[in-house]
């Protein structure tokens, strides 16, 4: 082939040859193992300087044509890439013409010999030129690509160019103006029909050519798969016949061309709209190639022939199937389907489900699972993606077509799901079933009239699904696969692989239960019953040994069977618990007997486990069986807890008549709980018992609970100071349960029968016993040598829910009482709320006094102690701020203000690390509660609070990059503004009557301005979470209080904020918040559109660096004077994009030249 590459004049050849040798030497040195980092930096700087020279591209063109050094070629192409994308506007027209002529010729001359990554990079550089110059200055850019595709010799090169063009021009980066992006998309759309026709022709011709020459294969068990289902799917004998043709054997070159064509189609489909340009012929051809993925003959041939070449060939053929499915999925992902394309869509589904039938068909040679195992894993993933898209996006559209057999499709999906060769594949298929069940549930809720007809249509499929999912979670049926699941390593959702497997399976069971409750219960309960019989029968194997009780099951096979049965029972107990919600509410009476059966069995099982203490028993395989026994017992308690709401509804139904059955259930459950409330019981089991106790005391709340001996025993245990203390979490739960027994009203009884006087006395005794040591503390009795003891005592106050201190003992009593306060303040009955608060105030009064005295002492000891105390005060303020009264509240807040001086705040934030910051954050949270209290009670604190924020806290954190304290400070400032608007803006009714317009008198202007300035400064910092929070706060203040419309904001701040938001968009520092920033900018500008367009926008453009006056004028003209939100935000993003583009274009070249 004639080399048409640009040839330099002879006088420069020697210089360029020397430069080439120098560059090759530098590149070799740069990538050598012995080259130091310092030397690499020197070489890099030298190369960068050379690339910035005017005319460097000429040397690079010579390098490309004269070297075979990969590093040199890649560097040279990078120089061209930088020139085209960043300096192209400044390149002389003659040079551009030369580059546009030489690079394609270079590609054409050497594309077969260049390494693929160099060839692809060169294609990308040429496409970059087209992105800048086509069609005005590079009119034959796309025509050349089409000619390359049409010429058999250069078809692969043309397809690579086409794919690169689609990638770079259809969705270009921000280095183009919006107008140019729109122009390129329109130009490409004009070519779509031609391109799709060419690609269809390539694929069809290769298929037809090899189909004709392919030998007729011998009869095989897989041939002739067009059964009744295929006929119903395709509705066409010809279509079925076409899809049953043997798959041709392609040569390597043909497979390569087909793979490139399919890659092009996949990318084209990602951005072109669905239209008739995508012809039935093209779709059929794509499905032909999708069959390559489900053809198992290829792998068999490879394994028989055994050569690496055949193995590669098989991988390539499988890859054709993957690429074809990628094309199909790109079309499937489009939710907006034109009416004229729906028929094509139906045809796609029919053809894809033919493939699904093909890969799930059983015969003598294959089971379904073995067939799936033989297929490429990527192909299975793509096929699963297709099924997910079909169910989530298109099922509602296709189900109405009488010629599409949905039930038969579900049968295929069932086979596909339960023969998946990997756990991840199975999880993905369960997700698809979940989507289908959600669709079915919403459909039934919207069409209650024909609910039965819909359910009858799918009933068999759902029952089959339920049965198989239950089988899959049982070791009895699926031991080999379940034992492969990891039950130790936690994922990002803090669950193990086994827990994820079980949770997803139980979600499917629950959704079927919602649709078919009777069937689901009748399927699940017998399975549970079988495993319960094994568990309940273990008592006969318990024998007494020298060290205690022992389970006399020692044979290895028996131990293994017991292990499987216990694991299954644990899973089934979780399943039964998950279904509890489907027995309450409107269906309580209809499903009462089923629920009662379940609860009775659960109560029996929990009591059985506690009585014979299987959790403490010796076993032949203690590392396996003992955890199994503990888990079953814990899960039985958790399952019973799930039925607490059912028990509450049962109690409300029978409390006046025949309550014996209910009393028996609750009493027996408490008998099962009491022996487990012990520090000697394993924590997992102990916590399950405690949670069940809390649910009975809080949700069920029967009147007789306090009189049950088991509950009284727990009261005695928890108040006995000589008893060994429970772990912190358990102590908290038990105390909360006991407190709720006394504080929460009994259901179904009038106020006169609540026995508040007696219960109040008992509650006082409980709190007194729990806080005796703490109340005896006196601050003036604290000596330095008792520092550690003081820490222990102060930590009795800790009230944060759900946490425990890692080193020091914590009193759960205050936590329990505080949580009761919170519960009471959220009660549905105001009388309950007031009573809770009254009681808590009465009991906590002494604790208030001691705590206030000790707070300043604690602050001097250590930050973590202060953190615990402030948590206590935070809960008090949240629940009892009004009941505490103004004098006492003033005393506490004044103590805080005196304690948190500028020096103390600086010490906490700057030197005490995260713990010190937590202390300050807790203090600010307390102030948040104070400033949002309605009425005038706490208004006198506002000046001090604002002063503390703006004069003491803000100066310390303003310039710190760390986000610590900032979020809480700005939330406090937001609360100050939101709940105390009249502190800044006093509306005069008289003025509004006299003038006809409400004018608001501004007060405390300096403080308001300082707060707004702080918000503005926060938008200049890199913390995206703080930016999002504060933008939301400003938008909320505008929605609720018309912030942007206030005179002070409108005249002195409005356009400063708009300027900051636009600069943030230009600098791309918070790109994830583009939409929110655009909306906020609109809301601010809409207050004064005239001012925005006439004054702000010209001033903003005038202040922009890096663009000339002509470009500024273009930017101004392109910003249309629209006043609706969508158009305005579109204009904003266009302005930002084009401003960045112009700056990129105007980057000047550095002076000086460097010779290599």
């Amino acid at each position: 082939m004639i080399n048409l590459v640009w040839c330099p004049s002879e006088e420069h050849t020697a210089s360029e040859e020397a430069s080439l040798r120098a560059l090759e030497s530098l590149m070799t040195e740069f990538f050598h193992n012995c080259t130091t980092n310092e030397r690499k930096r020197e070489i890099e700087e030298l190369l960068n300087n050379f690339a910035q020279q005017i005319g460097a591209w000429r040397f690079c063109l010579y390098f490309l044509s004269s070297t075979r050094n990969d590093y040199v070629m890649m560097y040279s192409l990078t120089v061209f890439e930088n020139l085209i994308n960043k300096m192209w506007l400044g390149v002389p027209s003659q040079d551009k013409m030369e580059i546009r002529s030489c690079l394609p010729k270079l590609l054409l001359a050497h594309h077969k010999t260049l390494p693929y990554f160099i060839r692809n990079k060169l294609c990308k550089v040429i496409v970059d030129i087209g992105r800048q110059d086509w069609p005005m200055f590079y009119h034959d850019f796309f025509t050349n690509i089409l000619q390359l595709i049409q010429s058999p010799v250069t078809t692969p090169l043309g397809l690579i160019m086409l794919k690169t063009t689609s990638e770079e021009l259809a969705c270009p980066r921000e280095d183009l103006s919006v107008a140019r992006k729109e122009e390129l998309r329109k130009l490409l759309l004009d070519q779509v029909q031609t391109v799709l026709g060419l690609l269809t022709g390539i694929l069809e011709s290769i298929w037809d050519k090899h189909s004709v020459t392919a030998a007729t294969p011998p009869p095989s068990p897989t041939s002739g798969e067009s059964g009744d289902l295929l006929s119903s799917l395709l509705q066409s004998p010809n279509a079925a016949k076409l899809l049953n043709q043997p798959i041709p054997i392609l040569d390597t070159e043909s497979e390569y061309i087909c793979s490139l064509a399919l890659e092009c189609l996949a990318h084209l489909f990602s951005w072109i709209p669905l239209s008739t340009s995508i012809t039935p012929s093209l779709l059929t051809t794509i499905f032909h190639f999708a069959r390559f993925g489900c053809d198992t003959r290829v792998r068999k041939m490879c394994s028989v022939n055994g050569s690496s070449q055949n193995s590669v060939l098989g991988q390539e053929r499988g890859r054709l199937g993957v690429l074809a499915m990628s094309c199909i999925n790109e079309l499937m992902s489009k939710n907006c389907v034109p009416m004229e394309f729906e028929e094509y869509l139906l045809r796609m589904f029919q053809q894809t489900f033919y493939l699904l039938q093909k890969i799930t068909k059983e015969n003598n040679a294959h089971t379904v699972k073995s067939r799936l195992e033989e297929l490429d894993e990527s192909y299975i993933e793509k096929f699963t993606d297709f099924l997910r898209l079909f169910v989530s996006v298109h099922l509602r559209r296709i189900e109405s077509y009488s010629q599409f057999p949905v039930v038969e499709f579900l049968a295929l999906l069932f086979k596909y799901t339960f023969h998946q060769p990997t756990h991840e594949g199975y999880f993905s298929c369960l997700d698809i079933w979940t989507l289908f069940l959600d669709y079915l549930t919403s459909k039934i809720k919207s069409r209650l009239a024909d609910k039965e007809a819909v359910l009858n249509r799918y009933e068999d499929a759902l029952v089959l699904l339920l049965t198989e999912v239950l089988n899959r979670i049982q070791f009895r049926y699926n031991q080999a696969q379940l034992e492969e699941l990891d039950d130790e390593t936690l994922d990002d959702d803090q669950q193990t692989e086994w827990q994820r497997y079980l949770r997803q399976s139980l979600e499917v069971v629950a959704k079927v239960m919602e649709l078919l409750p009777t069937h689901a219960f009748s399927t699940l309960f017998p399975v549970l019953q079988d495993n319960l019989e094994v568990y309940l029968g273990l008592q006969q194997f318990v024998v007494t040994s020298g060290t205690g009780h022992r389970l006399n099951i020692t044979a290895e096979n028996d131990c293994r069977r017991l292990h499987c049965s216990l694991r299954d029972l644990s899973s089934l107990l979780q399943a039964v618990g998950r279904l509890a919600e489907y027995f309450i509410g409107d269906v309580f009476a209809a499903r009462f007997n089923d629920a009662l059966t379940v609860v009775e069995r659960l109560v029996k099982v929990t009591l059985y486990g506690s009585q014979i203490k299987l959790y403490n028993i010796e076993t032949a395989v203690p590392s396996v069986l003992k955890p199994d026994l503990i888990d079953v017992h814990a899960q039985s308690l958790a399952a019973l807890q799930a039925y607490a709401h059912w028990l509450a509804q049962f109690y409300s139904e029978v409390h006046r008549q025949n309550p014996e059955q209910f009393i028996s259930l609750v009493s027996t459950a408490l008998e099962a709980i009491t022996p487990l409330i012990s520090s000697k019981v394993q924590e997992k089991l102990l916590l399950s018992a405690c949670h069940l106790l809390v649910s009975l005391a809080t949700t069920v709340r029967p009147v007789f609970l306090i009189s049950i001996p088991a509950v009284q025993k727990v009261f005695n245990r928890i108040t006995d100071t000589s008893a060994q203390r429970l772990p912190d979490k358990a102590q908290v739960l038990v105390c909360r349960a006991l407190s709720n027994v006394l504080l929460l009203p009994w259901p179904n009884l009038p106020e006169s029968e609540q026995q508040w006087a007696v219960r109040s006395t008992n509650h006082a005794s409980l709190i007194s016993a729990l806080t005796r040591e703490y109340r005896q503390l006196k601050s003036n009795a604290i000596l330095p040598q008792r520092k550690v003891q003081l820490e222990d005592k102060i930590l009795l106050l800790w009230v944060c829910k759900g946490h425990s201190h890692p080193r020091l003992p914590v009193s759960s009593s205050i936590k329990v009482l505080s949580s009761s306060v919170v519960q009471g303040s959220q009660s549905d009955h105001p009388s309950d709320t007031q009573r809770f608060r009254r009681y808590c105030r009465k009991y906590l009064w002494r604790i208030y006094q001691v705590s206030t005295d000790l707070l300043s002492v604690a602050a001097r000891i250590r930050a973590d102690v202060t953190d615990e105390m402030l948590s206590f005060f935070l809960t008090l303020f949240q629940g009892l701020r009004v009941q505490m009264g103004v004098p006492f509240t003033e005393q506490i807040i004044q103590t805080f203000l005196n304690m948190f001086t500028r020096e103390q705040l600086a010490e906490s934030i700057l030197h005490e690390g995260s713990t010190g910051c937590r202390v300050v954050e807790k203090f600010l949270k307390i102030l948040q509660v104070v400033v949002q209290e309605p009425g005038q009670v706490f208004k006198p604190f506002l000046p001090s609070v604002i002063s503390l924020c703006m004069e003491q806290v803000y100066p310390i954190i303003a310039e710190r990059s760390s986000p610590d304290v900032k979020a809480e400070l700005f939330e406090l400032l937001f609360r100050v503004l939101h709940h105390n608007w009249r502190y800044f803006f006093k509306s005069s009714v008289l003025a509004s009557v006299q003038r006809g317009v409400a004018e608001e008198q501004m007060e405390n202007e300096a403080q308001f301005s300082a707060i707004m300035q702080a918000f503005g400064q926060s938008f200049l910092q890199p913390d995206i979470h703080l930016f999002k929070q504060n933008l939301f706060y400003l938008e909320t203040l505008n929605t609720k209080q018309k912030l942007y419309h206030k005179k002070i904001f409108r005249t002195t701040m409005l356009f400063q904020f708009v300027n900051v938001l636009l600069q943030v968009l230009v600098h791309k520092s918070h790109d994830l918040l583009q939409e929110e920033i655009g909306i906020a900018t609109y809301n601010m500008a809409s207050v004064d559109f005239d001012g925005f367009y006439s004054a702000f926008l010209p001033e903003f453009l005038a202040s922009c660096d890096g663009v000339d006056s002509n470009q500024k004028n273009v930017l101004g003209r392109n910003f249309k004077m629209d006043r609706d939100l969508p158009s305005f935000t579109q204009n904003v993003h266009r302005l930002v994009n084009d401003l960045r583009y112009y700056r990129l274009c105007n980057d000047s070249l550095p002076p000086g030249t460097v010779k290599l």
Side-chain angles (χ1 to χ4, degrees), residues 189-435:
L189 283 172
D190 290 343
Q191 300 290 337
V192 162
Q193 192 162 357
T194 303
V195 167
L196 292 182
L198 272 178
L199 294 174
T200 304
I202 289 171
L203 293 171
E204 283 183 345
S205 63
I206 291 177
W207 181 276
D208 293 342
K209 173 186 173 184
H210 290 82
S211 294
V212 170
T213 58
T216 304
S220 73
T222 60
S223 63
E225 294 176 358
S226 54
D228 293 337
L229 178 55
L230 178 59
S231 301
S232 63
L233 282 172
L234 296 177
Q235 299 289 312
S236 165
N238 290 333
K241 184 178 179 182
L242 280 172
L243 286 173
N244 270 315
Q245 286 179 352
I247 296 177
I249 306 298
L250 306 184
D251 58 75
T252 306
E253 179 70 14
S254 297
E255 287 195 355
Y256 179 53
I257 291 173
C258 290
S259 67
L260 290 174
L262 290 169
E263 286 177 3
C264 288
L265 283 171
H267 196 273
L268 288 167
F269 289 164
S270 71
W271 61 268
I272 65 175
L274 295 179
S275 69
T276 51
S277 297
I278 304 171
T279 62
S281 173
L282 174 58
L283 293 177
T284 301
T285 303
I286 292 172
F287 278 100
H288 278 317
F289 283 93
R291 292 170 57 201
F292 276 104
C294 54
D295 184 24
T296 57
R297 289 179 304 155
V298 177
R299 293 203 174 195
K300 284 182 183 176
M301 285 164 46
C302 295
S303 61
V304 170
N305 296 335
S307 70
S308 59
Q309 185 176 356
N310 281 323
S311 178
V312 172
L313 180 65
Q315 291 172 4
E316 281 298 316
R317 298 192 73 200
R319 185 167 176 268
L320 289 178
V322 174
L323 292 172
M325 286 306 300
S326 296
C327 296
I328 295 166
N329 287 349
E330 286 293 350
L331 295 174
M332 289 289 298
S333 64
K334 299 179 188 295
N335 198 1
C336 182
V337 180
M339 186 70 70
E340 65 273 13
F341 197 77
E342 286 199 359
E343 185 182 344
Y344 293 3
L345 204 60
L346 178 61
R347 186 173 297 153
M348 284 175 58
F349 298 141
Q350 290 170 337
Q351 293 175 324
T352 309
F353 294 135
Y354 159 71
L355 298 179
L356 179 59
Q357 185 206 19
K358 183 178 176 65
I359 62 178
T360 56
K361 186 174 182 63
E362 293 187 71
N363 54 46
N364 297 331
H366 286 87
T367 63
V368 177
K369 187 170 184 179
S370 68
R371 182 187 294 274
L372 289 173
E373 285 173 343
E374 288 181 0
L375 300 183
D376 188 296
E377 191 173 324
S378 299
Y379 187 77
I380 295 294
E381 288 176 8
K382 292 291 183 185
F383 214 101
T384 304
D385 289 341
F386 167 83
L387 296 171
R388 181 186 298 108
L389 288 167
F390 171 73
V391 172
S392 61
V393 180
H394 300 287
L395 181 60
R396 68 182 187 280
R397 180 182 288 117
I398 294 299
E399 192 189 13
S400 58
Y401 282 83
S402 58
Q403 63 265 45
F404 187 82
V406 179
V407 175
E408 287 84 348
F409 155 66
L410 292 178
L412 293 176
L413 177 60
F414 180 87
K415 290 170 69 177
Y416 182 79
T417 299
F418 293 105
H419 291 95
Q420 283 294 310
T422 65
H423 295 306
E424 284 301 323
Y426 179 64
F427 289 154
S428 299
C429 289
L430 283 186
D431 286 339
I432 298 172
W433 282 106
T434 301
L435 290 169

Side-chain angles (χ1 to χ4, degrees), residues 453-473:
V454 174
L455 281 177
N456 288 337
R457 184 182 186 189
Y458 296 112
E459 181 180 310
D460 292 343
L462 296 181
V463 172
L464 200 60
L465 172 67
L466 173 69
T467 304
E468 191 59 35
V469 169
L470 285 175
N471 288 345
R472 285 306 178 102
I473 64 172

Side-chain angles (χ1 to χ4, degrees), residues 1092-1105:
F1092 176 84
Y1093 286 116
S1094 63
F1096 170 77
L1097 191 56
E1099 289 177 12
F1100 174 79
L1101 292 172
S1103 67
C1104 288
D1105 298 326

Side-chain angles (χ1 to χ4, degrees), residues 411-562:
L412 293 176
L413 177 60
F414 180 87
K415 290 170 69 177
Y416 182 79
T417 299
F418 293 105
H419 291 95
Q420 283 294 310
T422 65
H423 295 306
E424 284 301 323
Y426 179 64
F427 289 154
S428 299
C429 289
L430 283 186
D431 286 339
I432 298 172
W433 282 106
T434 301
L435 290 169
F436 172 72
L437 293 168
D438 287 340
Y439 162 74
L440 205 53
T441 302
S442 61
K443 179 179 179 178
I444 287 171
K445 287 179 179 177
S446 64
R447 292 168 54 181
L448 291 175
D450 55 351
K451 172 182 176 180
E452 291 304 319
V454 174
L455 281 177
N456 288 337
R457 184 182 186 189
Y458 296 112
E459 181 180 310
D460 292 343
L462 296 181
V463 172
L464 200 60
L465 172 67
L466 173 69
T467 304
E468 191 59 35
V469 169
L470 285 175
N471 288 345
R472 285 306 178 102
I473 64 172
Q474 294 180 69
F475 281 77
R476 178 180 178 182
Y477 300 105
N478 195 29
Q479 182 175 355
Q481 281 193 314
L482 295 180
E483 285 183 341
E484 293 174 5
L485 294 170
D486 178 11
D487 198 19
E488 294 181 1
T489 309
L490 296 176
D491 61 14
D492 293 339
D493 296 323
Q494 296 301 300
Q495 58 183 2
T496 65
E497 188 180 31
W498 160 253
Q499 289 169 339
R500 178 189 170 198
Y501 182 94
L502 188 59
R503 179 184 58 80
Q504 285 192 249
S505 300
L506 295 186
E507 283 306 303
V508 173
V509 172
K511 290 179 185 297
V512 176
M513 175 77 180
E514 185 176 3
L515 292 165
L516 298 173
T518 305
H519 286 84
F521 182 78
S522 61
T523 302
L524 173 61
F525 191 73
V527 184
L528 173 69
Q529 186 75 355
D530 289 345
N531 286 278
L532 279 176
E533 294 303 326
V534 174
Y535 179 65
L536 295 172
L538 290 178
Q539 186 170 9
Q540 61 187 304
F541 297 102
V542 176
V543 296
T544 304
S545 64
T547 55
H549 295 288
R550 182 168 55 84
L551 189 63
N552 192 23
I553 298 176
T554 56
E556 182 180 347
N557 193 45
D558 291 340
C559 289
R560 185 180 294 112
R561 287 170 56 204
L562 178 59

Side-chain angles (χ1 to χ4, degrees), residues 1019 1031 1034-1035 1038 1043-1045 1049-1050 1053-1059 1061 1077-1089 1092 1128:
F1019 294 142
L1031 193 63
L1034 288 186
E1035 289 285 272
N1038 184 55
L1043 168 66
Y1044 304 156
H1045 297 260
F1049 191 93
R1050 193 175 67 248
M1053 305 175 192
L1054 180 67
F1055 291 132
Q1056 291 182 29
F1057 274 96
V1058 174
N1059 183 63
L1061 294 179
I1077 294 172
I1079 293 172
T1081 304
Y1082 170 80
N1083 289 334
M1084 292 180 186
S1086 64
V1087 172
D1088 184 10
F1089 268 133
F1092 176 84
F1128 183 88

Side-chain angles (χ1 to χ4, degrees), residues 4 53 158 179 211 230 288 383 647 733 738 764 889 966 1087:
L4 299 175
Q53 289 183 116
S211 294
L230 178 59
H288 278 317
F383 214 101
L647 285 168
L733 291 169
L738 298 180
T889 304
K966 290 180 182 177
V1087 172

Side-chain angles (χ1 to χ4, degrees), residues 607 610-611 666-675 708 710:
L607 181 63
S610 298
Q611 284 178 337
V666 174
S667 301
T668 308
L670 287 164
E671 286 179 36
I673 293 171
T674 309
I708 295 178

